């Protein structure tokens, strides 16, 4: 009996070990799936160390925090890259080896006061091998240049200053926790901040309409509000910064954003900002401000990169819109409701305020086959109007509640047969007919299904009514809505 119980206990123990090993293997595989080199995730700084070339011992770590995070064996394996040849001094470099990604900025100071007439050092940040580190490069470079000045003035680095470990600990904590740090040493003050590296903005076209993000109540330029954590996660105490696997964006980014028109903008931006109202497209802004269109596009693309503006299609009452699944947010998000009602209101002196039920009913009426004009006549024609439907459409597009359906003309027959272009162009007689026919032919070349109606109007410099007439007169043209 005792033998049988012992056998059962051993079997149960082996089973639990097998389950635990399989669970650990699955967790490691999931970890490898989520975190890998090039995944784009940003991780915390695990360690900061100061490497230098000692005149007797050679390359070594003179100070690091936390201590012994980078072992002597690991450092000896990569020391040739930490203290490199003179040709790549004062260059930001990243080393991904042995499970660590190290960002450094090697410094060389030539001076006869040193034993070998030269002093080499490198202050490095250590992150996980999968972590994105490009955002730390400006910080490492600024730190290296700052320590160079302090070394030349007071030999702060080479003298083995006792303040250096405290400085590294303070730096590691503040950059991981607040994404910024302030270093004070004597009369010298240095401010550091980890900046967000954004993706390249999409190209700006003539028919795009820029809208100031601040005008529609978004919490931060170009960024949706962060999702609330689960109740269990909110109740748990936050782990230490150095043990976090993934860093969230700066919490300050959720603060309401305000665009100061009187701020120190460049001349082109200062000239364009008053015309960015959510209705003017790029070509109209260029014409109204008498600024070259390429400069307007470049300026708006710069504002788009920093999240000051976003782009929406041209608002026309002939447009068709459809609701998106995000429209359900308007039922539960009270902050979104308040922002919407405040933005679409006819003014602070309006006698009647808009009702949320009317707003939701209007948005739900937007569907394929129903133009904005039909919805406007149905809900906003009876006075007094309590809200501006144009502002409602702008707000809903900015928050992803609705989507504009665009028209793409397609010429479905490659051999062009006689149509109304020549007769319409030749109506004036003489040479005008040839020029009109050539212009119509040039417009038809844009009917490939890749250019929407707004883009064609801007490229051909015609109004929408003229384009509609061309499409209506030619039976070879089909319309794709998407």
């Amino acid at each position: 009996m005792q033998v049988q119980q012992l056998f059962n206990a051993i079997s149960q123990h082996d089973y639990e070990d097998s389950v635990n090993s399989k669970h650990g293997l699955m967790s490691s595989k999931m970890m490898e799936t989520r975190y890998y080199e090039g995944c784009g995730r940003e991780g915390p700084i695990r360690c900061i160390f100061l490497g230098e070339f000692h005149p007797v011992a050679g390359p070594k770590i003179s100070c690091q925090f936390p201590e012994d995070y980078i072992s002597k064996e690991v450092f000896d394996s990569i020391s040739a890259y930490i203290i490199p040849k003179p040709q790549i001094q004062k260059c930001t470099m990243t080393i991904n080896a042995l499970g660590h990604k190290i960002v450094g900025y090697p410094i060389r100071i030539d001076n006869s006061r040193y034993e070998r007439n030269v002093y080499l050092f490198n202050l490095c940040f250590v992150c996980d091998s999968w972590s994105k580190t490009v955002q730390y490069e400006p910080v490492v470079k600024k730190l290296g240049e700052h320590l160079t000045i302090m070394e030349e003035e007071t030999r702060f680095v080479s003298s083995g200053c006792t303040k250096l470990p405290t400085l590294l600990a303070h730096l590691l904590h503040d950059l991981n926790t607040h994404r910024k740090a302030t270093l004070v040493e004597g009369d010298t003050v240095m401010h550091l901040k980890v900046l967000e590296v954004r993706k390249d903005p999409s190209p700006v076209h003539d028919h795009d309409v820029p809208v100031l993000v601040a005008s529609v109540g978004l919490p931060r330029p170009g960024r949706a509000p962060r999702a609330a954590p689960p109740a269990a996660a909110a109740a748990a105490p936050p782990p230490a910064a150095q043990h976090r696997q993934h860093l969230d964006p700066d919490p300050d980014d959720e603060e309401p954003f305000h665009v100061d028109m009187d701020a120190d903008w460049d001349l082109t931006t200062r000239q364009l900002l008053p015309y960015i109202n959510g209705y003017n497209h790029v070509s109209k802004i260029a014409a109204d401000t008498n600024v070259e269109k390429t400069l307007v596009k470049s300026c708006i693309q710069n504002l788009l990169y920093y999240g000051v503006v976003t782009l929406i299609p041209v608002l026309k009452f002939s447009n068709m819109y459809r609701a998106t699944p995000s429209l359900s947010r308007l039922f539960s998000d009270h902050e979104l409701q308040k922002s919407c009602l405040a933005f679409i209101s006819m003014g602070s002196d309006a006698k009647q305020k808009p009702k949320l039920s009317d707003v939701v009913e209007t948005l739900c009426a937007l569907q394929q086959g129903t133009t904005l004009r039909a919805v406007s006549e149905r809900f906003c024609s009876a006075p007094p109007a309590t809200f501006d439907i144009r502002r409602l459409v702008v707000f809903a597009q900015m928050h992803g509640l609705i989507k504009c359906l665009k028209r793409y003309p397609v010429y479905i027959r490659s051999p062009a047969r006689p149509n109304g272009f020549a007769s319409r162009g030749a109506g004036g007689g003489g040479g005008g007919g040839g020029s009109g026919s050539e212009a119509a032919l040039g417009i038809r070349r844009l009917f490939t299904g890749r250019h929407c109606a707004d883009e064609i109007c801007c490229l051909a410099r015609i109004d929408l009514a003229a384009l509609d007439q061309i499409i209506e007169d030619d039976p070879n043209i089909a319309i794709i809505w998407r």
Side-chain angles (χ1 to χ4, degrees):
M1 186 68 179
Q2 293 180 352
V3 174
Q4 181 67 27
Q5 291 178 350
L6 180 61
F7 177 77
N8 292 338
I10 294 175
S11 301
Q12 179 68 19
H13 184 267
D14 292 342
Y15 172 76
E16 291 177 355
D17 287 346
S18 176
V19 170
N20 292 335
S21 63
K22 289 181 179 179
H23 178 72
L25 182 61
M26 292 176 61
S27 299
S28 63
K29 288 183 178 180
M30 292 176 61
M31 183 70 179
E32 291 175 0
T33 304
R34 289 187 60 195
Y35 300 100
Y36 55 89
E37 170 64 18
C39 66
R41 292 177 177 269
E42 180 180 338
I45 304 171
R46 298 298 185 180
C47 171
I48 302 178
F49 71 86
L50 177 69
E52 65 175 2
F53 186 86
H54 191 271
V56 177
K60 70 170 190 175
I61 296 179
S62 60
C63 181
Q64 68 170 314
F65 183 85
E67 295 183 2
D68 299 327
Y69 187 86
I70 299 294
S71 64
K72 186 178 184 303
E73 292 77 13
V74 172
F75 180 79
D76 290 341
S77 301
I78 59 176
S79 60
Y81 304 100
I82 303 298
I83 308 295
K85 300 296 183 181
Q87 290 80 2
I88 52 177
Q89 297 289 341
K90 289 196 173 182
C91 295
T92 305
M93 52 195 309
T94 303
I95 308 152
N96 197 349
L98 304 176
H100 303 290
K101 184 179 284 191
I102 302 173
V103 184
Y105 186 73
I107 299 293
R108 174 190 177 99
I109 301 177
D110 295 301
N111 198 305
S112 58
R113 68 185 178 185
Y114 300 112
E115 188 170 341
R116 294 197 179 189
N117 297 327
V118 66
Y119 179 60
L120 305 172
F121 72 94
N122 192 356
L123 185 73
C124 300
F125 288 4
V126 183
C127 300
D128 295 300
S129 59
W130 50 263
S131 175
K132 181 177 72 173
T133 57
V134 65
Q135 70 278 3
Y136 296 127
E137 292 179 1
V139 179
V140 172
K141 181 179 178 180
K142 188 174 182 179
L143 269 172
E145 294 174 345
H146 180 70
L147 290 177
T148 302
I149 297 174
M150 297 178 66
E151 172 65 22
E152 291 174 345
E153 293 178 352
T154 63
R155 301 192 66 174
F156 178 81
V157 183
S158 61
S159 62
C161 180
T162 56
K163 297 180 180 179
L164 201 54
T166 305
L167 182 143
L168 297 186
H170 168 71
L171 195 61
L172 179 70
H173 175 268
D174 285 2
L175 289 181
N176 276 341
T177 306
H178 309 293
R179 300 179 66 84
K180 56 186 176 181
T182 302
L183 302 181
V184 181
E185 177 57 33
D187 297 334
T188 306
V189 180
M190 181 175 59
H191 301 281
L192 301 169
K193 185 171 184 178
V194 180
L195 299 178
E196 179 187 0
V197 180
R198 300 177 173 90
K199 296 181 180 179
D200 292 336
S202 57
V204 178
H205 302 98
D206 294 353
H207 60 283
D208 287 331
V209 178
V211 188
L212 289 173
V213 168
S215 65
V216 293
L218 289 179
R220 180 66 185 169
R223 180 178 300 174
R226 193 184 309 167
Q242 60 267 27
H243 297 294
R244 287 183 294 177
Q245 292 293 337
H246 182 64
L247 285 180
D248 291 326
D250 189 352
D252 293 341
D253 288 346
E254 289 187 353
E255 295 179 359
F257 181 67
H258 172 68
V259 176
D260 186 4
M261 296 293 186
D262 299 325
D264 191 18
W265 300 97
D266 61 87
L267 295 178
T268 305
T269 305
R270 188 189 296 270
Q271 193 171 353
L272 298 183
L273 280 177
Y275 294 87
I276 299 178
N277 57 7
Y279 307 119
N280 296 334
H281 54 77
V282 171
S283 293
K284 180 172 176 55
I285 293 174
D288 292 346
T289 58
N290 197 23
V291 177
E292 189 178 350
K293 194 182 296 183
T294 55
L295 290 178
V296 175
K297 289 183 179 180
S298 177
C299 177
I300 292 177
Q301 194 169 29
N302 184 56
L303 296 175
L304 189 65
Y305 175 80
Y306 288 105
V308 179
V309 303
T310 189
L311 302 177
I312 62 174
V314 180
L315 192 151
K316 304 184 298 295
F317 280 93
S318 59
N319 285 354
M320 287 194 294
Y321 300 86
R322 66 172 179 82
T324 67
S326 299
L327 182 59
S328 59
R329 290 175 47 210
L330 199 57
F331 295 93
S332 57
D333 192 335
H334 298 291
E335 291 297 326
L336 184 63
Q337 296 172 6
K338 290 169 57 178
S339 300
C340 179
L341 297 179
F343 183 77
I344 68 176
S345 177
M346 301 296 289
S348 58
D349 55 347
K351 295 182 179 179
Q352 293 185 358
K353 298 297 181 181
K355 298 179 180 179
L356 182 63
S357 58
D358 297 337
V359 172
V360 173
E361 187 178 5
T362 303
L363 292 177
C364 291
L366 295 172
Q367 55 187 341
Q368 187 171 355
T370 305
T371 63
L372 180 61
R373 179 180 291 107
V375 175
S376 177
E377 291 174 351
R378 176 182 172 187
F379 292 98
C380 304
S381 58
T386 58
F387 61 88
D388 188 343
I389 193 170
R390 298 187 307 163
R391 294 175 68 86
L392 175 61
V393 170
V394 171
F395 183 92
Q397 286 186 98
M398 290 281 289
H399 287 267
L401 308 181
I402 61 173
K403 179 183 178 182
C404 179
L405 298 174
K406 298 181 181 180
R407 291 192 304 164
Y408 290 84
V410 181
Y411 203 79
I412 57 178
R413 292 176 62 96
S414 86
R417 65 185 186 183
N419 50 43
F421 290 125
S423 59
R424 288 174 61 244
S435 61
S437 178
E438 291 177 2
L441 181 61
I443 294 174
R444 283 186 295 174
R445 289 172 182 166
L446 298 174
F447 297 163
T448 61
R450 299 181 180 179
H451 307 282
C452 65
D454 296 334
E455 185 178 2
I456 293 173
C457 288
C458 289
L459 293 175
R461 296 183 179 180
I462 59 174
D463 57 13
L464 188 61
L467 178 62
D468 289 340
Q469 188 64 43
I470 293 175
I471 294 174
E472 184 179 351
D473 291 345
D474 195 337
N476 299 321
I477 300 175
I479 296 295
I480 299 176
W481 291 88
R482 65 173 186 226

